[in-house]
Amino acid sequence: MKKKILISGNEAMGEAAIRAGCKFYAGYPITPQNELTAYMASELPKRGGIFIQSESELAAINMVYGASASGVRAMTSSSSPGISLKQEGISYISGAQLPAVAINVMRAGPGLGNIWPAQSDYFQATKGGGHGDYHMIVLAPWSVQESYGLTRLAFELADRYRAMAMILSDGILGQMMEPLEFDDEEPMPALIAKPWALTGAQGREPNIVKSLSIRFGDVEKHNLVLQKNFSRIMAKEQRFEASYLEGARAVVVAYGSMARITQAAVVNLRRQGKRVGLFRPISLWPFPAKELARLSKKIKKFLVVEMSYGQMVEDVRLSVCPGARVGFYGRSGGGVPTQKQVEREMLKVLTNNKYA
Amino acid sequence: MPKNYKRPGSLYDTAAHYCPGCGHGILHRMVAQAIDELGVREKTIAIAPVGCAVVAYDYWQFDCAEAAHGRALAVATAIKRCQPDKLVFTYQGDGDLAAIGTAETIHAANRGENLSVIFVNNAVYGMTGGQMAPTTLLSQKTATTPLGRDVKLSGYPLKISEMLALLDGVYSVERVSVSNPKEAMNAQRAIKQAFENQLQGKGFSIVEVLSMCPTYWYKTPQESLKWVDEIMSKYFVLGKLK
Ligand code: SF4
């Protein structure tokens, strides 16, 4: 049965996790994601799961490691400074090939920064904030509805690829309330066999969940296995949404809540007859490079708008074909580019011959 | 008295990589023996530490997780909560449990997690080359206390078991040693008891074992046994703390 409720982004991600079969959550208080932790505290135990308020972010992510090693769908959430603390655990989870989900409701940094929204953890999320060669699958919703849908998808992909998946939300999306529609009877993503899980060595050889190999050469071999998996993800899981491309002469690239603001700017400029389009990466890793490359064969002017001083723009520049020009506009530290500012920057790109 | 000189079934038939006179080999066997006696090998999940015993899973024949340095009790907490019917224990050294993992240790204990902890105190970081541990004795020479541990610079050896015994959430705390046959038999009993406590749902049990590291004590195996009996156990007093 279809259900429609009014809910915040933070709570929608909690609800989605529970409906996706998440049976373990550990978290530590930090603003602006506290509603999610509180939601899990009140809902998860009622619905057959385990909630733990951990003593630290380090403990939370390592509890997720333990739960996932048990074969259970597990999640943690935090906001930027807390996600920094989790990087060690994320590296170990990736090294041990454990499926797990983490949510980052981004706020301004560096350091303690403040609790205002930002998108300045893009590098950390997509390039590997912890040590070693690894990637997380990183999904960026732009609405409460999509926060729900992508959280569900994150569990599915984490299990499928035995990898860490992260939802990169932000303070706006987490706090904002919007209508959410979902199917009350939709079953959770099918459980898959986890023969590697630690469940007691009954009638089988012991299982070991680890990332260490002392013998020279073994870690290199292990890395090649991981890389093969990452290549598979890169080939199959690039997600994006492109709109207003009809006759477009310039395209703005933005994700998350920045894409929401940018869409309003694009709509307004289109109304004035300006030929601008919108390209919204939904998977930030793998970055939708293929589609952007294809697009840049025809369209040569790009503008990237971020709530950071230029992070995703590097991936856009790496993706487009030679001859395409990529401009950038960003504010951060809690500053959010306004619709007017985005329009102004788009017009600059449209009219600037340097971009022709 | 029944005698058992057989290799426990929970222990692989393989040579250990530990230095001559190291306490880890003895302790691995004791853990395996206790698990055999309780008949729980097929429902045991161990958490191996970071340190010399990181590859404990090469010796134990049951499921095992490796944890990041200090995080064993966070990992164990989740495994046990997800699978309350399993025997879940951590095997941790002094640096792991009482330095980098202090918060995880205290909070798992304080939550009263139904877990067993084998805490191997050998007063030094072995794996990394003999640096000062939180439990290094005063005036003990290590790679990072070349003139001996100085209380003014590094404080006192940490009595974390005494601290844990103060917590309401903790069921049992005991300090034992493997430095002579009498104490070793007592250690074997204490380890089995810690597992039994968990199987009976009694809560958090920790067994601190004073163990030898001849290599970084710069002593022979025989001298090391004597050092535990005559020096180390004077500061870390053996017995039931709770
Ligand atoms: S360095 Fe010490 S603790 Fe490590 S194996 Fe050798 S004797 Fe044992």
Side-chain angles (χ1 to χ4, degrees), chain B residues 18-19 22 24 52 122 126 212-216:
Chain B
Y18 299 113
C19 309
C22 175
H24 278 307
C52 285
N122 59 14
M212 297 74 68
C213 176
T215 303
Y216 290 112

Side-chain angles (χ1 to χ4, degrees), chain B:
Chain B
M1 198 178 84
K3 286 184 181 158
N4 185 357
Y5 295 112
K6 285 198 309 258
R7 179 179 54 84
S10 299
L11 208 59
Y12 285 115
D13 187 6
T14 179
H17 73 288
Y18 299 113
C19 309
C22 175
H24 278 307
I26 306 170
L27 268 165
H28 282 13
R29 187 192 195 286
M30 286 183 175
V31 165
Q33 177 80 33
I35 284 168
D36 271 20
E37 285 175 16
L38 294 166
V40 291
R41 188 189 75 81
E42 295 186 336
K43 53 179 258 183
T44 294
I45 302 169
I47 291 90
V50 169
C52 285
V54 61
V55 291
Y57 43 75
D58 284 350
Y59 308 124
W60 287 329
Q61 201 166 346
F62 37 78
D63 278 9
C64 209
E66 188 179 270
H69 199 28
R71 317 291 169 234
L73 276 164
V75 173
T77 292
I79 294 178
K80 182 70 184 182
R81 294 272 193 116
C82 291
Q83 305 181 78
D85 58 322
K86 301 287 165 22
L87 178 81
V88 182
F89 75 92
T90 67
Y91 183 100
Q92 300 177 261
D94 35 50
D96 194 69
L97 181 136
I100 198 166
T102 313
E104 284 79 0
T105 303
I106 289 178
H107 287 279
N110 195 49
R111 285 191 303 264
E113 299 292 345
N114 189 24
L115 293 168
S116 315
V117 180
I118 312 301
F119 166 32
V120 188
N121 178 1
N122 59 14
V124 79
Y125 285 79
M127 182 91 154
T128 45
Q131 295 85 355
M132 179 186 71
T135 50
T136 291
L137 295 188
L138 292 183
S139 71
Q140 185 184 333
K141 286 191 176 147
T142 70
T144 48
T145 53
L147 303 175
R149 182 173 184 158
D150 178 350
V151 72
K152 286 208 266 337
L153 295 173
S154 314
Y156 291 93
L158 189 65
K159 292 179 175 174
I160 196 152
S161 290
E162 276 82 351
M163 289 166 63
L164 293 174
L166 292 173
L167 301 178
D168 291 337
V170 171
Y171 178 72
S172 151
V173 184
E174 189 163 359
R175 188 182 283 122
V176 298
S177 116
V178 287
S179 52
N180 64 62
K182 180 170 153 264
E183 293 304 336
M185 279 172 72
N186 191 43
Q188 177 72 75
R189 177 205 52 79
I191 290 169
K192 188 176 169 187
Q193 184 65 57
F195 292 159
E196 275 179 320
N197 291 345
Q198 184 186 154
L199 293 171
Q200 291 162 11
K202 297 221 165 101
F204 193 90
S205 301
I206 177 167
V207 181
E208 175 177 342
V209 187
L210 305 189
S211 174
M212 297 74 68
C213 176
T215 303
Y216 290 112
W217 292 355
Y218 310 106
K219 290 178 172 32
T220 65
Q222 284 84 356
E223 288 165 354
S224 300
L225 298 172
K226 221 169 132 201
W227 196 72
V228 176
D229 286 340
E230 292 176 5
I231 312 282
M232 199 179 171
S233 57
K234 292 288 171 305
Y235 188 82
F236 294 111
V237 180
L238 304 184
K240 188 110 172 97
L241 295 163
K242 187 172 187 178

